[in-house]
Amino acid sequence: MTQPTPIRRDGHRPLLLDLFSCAGGAAMGYARAGFTVHGCDVADRPNYPFPQHRGDALEYLAHLIATGEIERYAFVHASPPCQAGCALTVGTNQSQGWGRAHVDLVAPTRELLDKTGLPYVIEQPNGRAKIRKDLVLCGEMFGLGVIRHRNFECGGWTIEQPAHRPHRGRVRGYRHGRYFDGPYVAAYGNGGGKPSIPELQAAMGIDWTNVREELTEAIPPAYSEHIGRAFIASRTMRVAA
């Protein structure tokens, strides 16, 4: 049976567009799953391990759609900024009167992704970001040294939700002046018993950047490798059907 929507490939590997790509946590996982990855980020990211366009991600996506170049791609991953909805912003920071106005690009990102006609995921941290939680992943599912829950909205395809594994203990660090030990490190911020750069790299499974900001903003590659393998497998099964 012919597959209705064949996977577009760059050589032998499907081509994936990684928007708001930062230093490449998601990108590395997709590459390990079997994709060729192209990134896009507004900031200069010399540690990004794959070809990367520097510029506004939504403007770049709109350009790819307008020119038809988007048709080269098989899949899109997007991690738009939404600090307005993250748990830290709406929790501790808000209660203390800290912080500032934050940008929320989830809705315009989804609108453009839908125009591509391609399958995609939008990734967001826990909080009030307005996405469907089609998939929720946690570091414990992959034996990592971080908890780092992340939510994924899937457009144009589906993925099975794996069972959430109970956490083995606390996140190491200070809480309200008291120190707690535990099997996980805090992959955010500075001080308060936060991990060293080597500890954070080991906990996240990232070894190509030693920039703390990039490490704390990244998703563990294990997450996107899981997503990428599931997507490729779903298309392979449709070909075989």
Side-chain angles (χ1 to χ4, degrees):
M1 177 180 177
T2 302
Q3 182 177 323
T5 54
I7 297 179
R8 295 158 182 163
R9 296 180 179 274
D10 180 67
H12 297 294
R13 295 165 66 96
L15 186 58
L16 181 141
L17 179 62
D18 178 24
L19 297 173
F20 309 97
S21 48
C22 193
M28 184 61 74
Y30 287 118
R32 292 171 181 170
F35 287 90
T36 293
V37 181
H38 292 171
C40 178
D41 198 276
V42 71
D44 183 22
R45 300 290 186 180
N47 292 320
Y48 191 77
F50 307 105
Q52 187 179 49
H53 172 85
R54 185 177 178 186
D56 181 275
L58 295 187
E59 290 181 2
Y60 185 57
L61 180 57
H63 166 76
L64 293 176
I65 294 170
T67 61
E69 293 179 64
I70 193 65
E71 296 179 8
R72 298 174 56 204
Y73 293 92
F75 192 82
V76 185
H77 173 100
S79 295
C82 187
Q83 293 94 335
C86 81
L88 182 61
T89 304
V90 301
T92 302
N93 286 4
Q94 189 177 76
S95 70
Q96 298 296 323
W98 302 337
R100 60 189 185 280
H102 291 285
V103 66
D104 181 352
L105 296 181
V106 172
T109 298
R110 181 190 297 110
E111 182 178 357
L112 277 178
L113 289 173
D114 285 337
K115 288 181 179 179
T116 70
L118 295 176
Y120 64 81
V121 294
I122 301 174
E123 175 267 330
Q124 289 288 285
N126 267 354
R128 297 178 186 170
K130 295 180 180 179
I131 67 167
R132 295 190 316 272
K133 296 181 181 180
D134 297 326
L135 178 68
V136 180
L137 296 179
C138 166
E140 183 58 31
M141 295 175 178
F142 305 97
L144 300 178
V146 290
I147 293 177
R148 208 158 185 77
H149 293 118
R150 286 295 181 268
N151 305 313
F152 300 87
E153 177 177 318
C154 302
W157 73 295
T158 60
I159 184 172
E160 184 177 349
Q161 172 65 53
H164 187 271
R165 296 182 180 180
H167 300 160
R168 292 172 284 123
R170 299 189 66 116
V171 175
R172 191 185 79 199
Y174 284 93
R175 301 292 184 279
H176 306 291
R178 180 183 174 188
Y179 181 81
F180 295 92
D181 201 0
Y184 309 104
V185 301
Y188 54 87
N190 293 290
K194 297 300 190 298
S196 67
I197 294 296
E199 287 176 321
L200 191 51
Q201 288 174 314
M204 294 279 288
I206 294 176
D207 60 6
W208 61 90
T209 178
N210 59 1
V211 178
R212 181 176 289 274
E213 178 202 2
E214 293 180 345
L215 289 164
T216 57
E217 289 183 359
I219 69 170
Y223 292 14
S224 49
E225 181 176 357
H226 173 80
I227 294 169
R229 290 187 183 279
F231 173 76
I232 291 174
S234 71
R235 269 35 189 183
T236 302
M237 288 176 64
R238 289 173 63 179
V239 172

